[in-house]
Amino acid sequence: MPAFFRRSQRTAGLPLEAGERLLATATLTSGIAAATDRRLLIPVADGFYSIDWESVDRARWDRDGESLVVVETVPMGSPARNHRLRFEQPGRLLDVIREQVTASVVISRYVPVDGERGVRVTGRRRAGRAGLRWVVAVDAGLDLADPSVRALVDTAVAGVRAEVE
C-alpha cells in the first residue's frame, strides 16, 4: 500500500482548522494523536481533546509507565491537569511536541516572593494569534489568599511582563 494512502487514512477525521498544518501523528493504545502547528490533539471517547501549545506546561517521558505525561497549564493555584499517552508507535510525535512547546516560550523567569518560595512567570507565544499568554506557577506554601503575598506575586508578574511588553 502506498505511503500516501496510509498517511491519509491516519489523518482522516482529525478536526483541523482552516490553514492548520499537520506536523506529526502517532498511534496510541487509544487511537491517533496528532501535533499541528497550533496544538496537540489527543483522542477521547467522543473525538479529540485539543491543547494549544501555549497551554502545554511540560511533557515528560515516564519510563516506569512507558508513557508520555503531558501537563496542561491551569489557572494560578489550581491543581495540575495531566494527560497520559501510551504509544504503540510514537513516530516523530515526541520530538514535535518538544519542539512546539519550546518554541512557544518567549520568556520564563523564577521570581522569589517570600523567602525561598516564589513564582515562575512564563510568557508563551499563541500560535496564529497576537500577544502572549501569561502563565504563573506558584510554589507550594505560598498563600494566594493572603493579600500581602498576592501583592508580591502581582508585582513579580508585572516585572516579568514589563521585560517584553
Side-chain angles (χ1 to χ4, degrees), residues 7-133:
R7 181 174 170 83
S8 64
Q9 278 188 325
R10 286 178 60 133
T11 60
L14 289 175
L16 300 180
E17 298 169 351
E20 187 173 15
R21 291 182 308 116
L22 182 65
L23 302 176
T25 61
T27 304
L28 304 179
T29 56
S30 59
I32 299 292
T36 75
D37 58 334
R38 299 179 189 170
R39 59 198 171 133
L40 175 63
L41 296 166
I42 301 170
V44 292
D46 58 346
F48 288 90
Y49 182 77
S50 174
I51 308 171
D52 294 338
W53 292 122
E54 72 269 11
S55 297
V56 176
D57 183 49
R58 64 189 174 278
R60 65 175 172 77
W61 184 253
D62 176 1
R63 290 175 200 207
D64 295 334
E66 294 185 355
S67 57
L68 181 71
V69 178
V70 177
V71 180
E72 241 182 296
T73 59
V74 292
M76 189 166 42
S78 299
R81 190 174 308 138
N82 299 319
H83 306 275
R84 184 172 297 276
L85 309 179
R86 296 193 195 303
F87 291 92
E88 287 182 6
Q89 298 175 346
R92 280 195 14 85
L93 188 72
L94 299 176
D95 292 332
V96 171
I97 290 172
R98 183 181 329 102
E99 292 164 3
Q100 294 300 309
V101 170
T102 300
S104 74
V105 176
V106 173
I107 188 170
S108 185
R109 299 275 190 272
Y110 182 81
V111 182
V113 295
D114 183 25
E116 293 182 10
R117 286 176 262 170
V119 294
R120 173 152 307 278
V121 181
T122 306
R124 308 282 296 270
R125 184 176 295 108
R126 300 169 354 150
R129 291 172 274 169
L132 298 179
R133 176 168 188 250

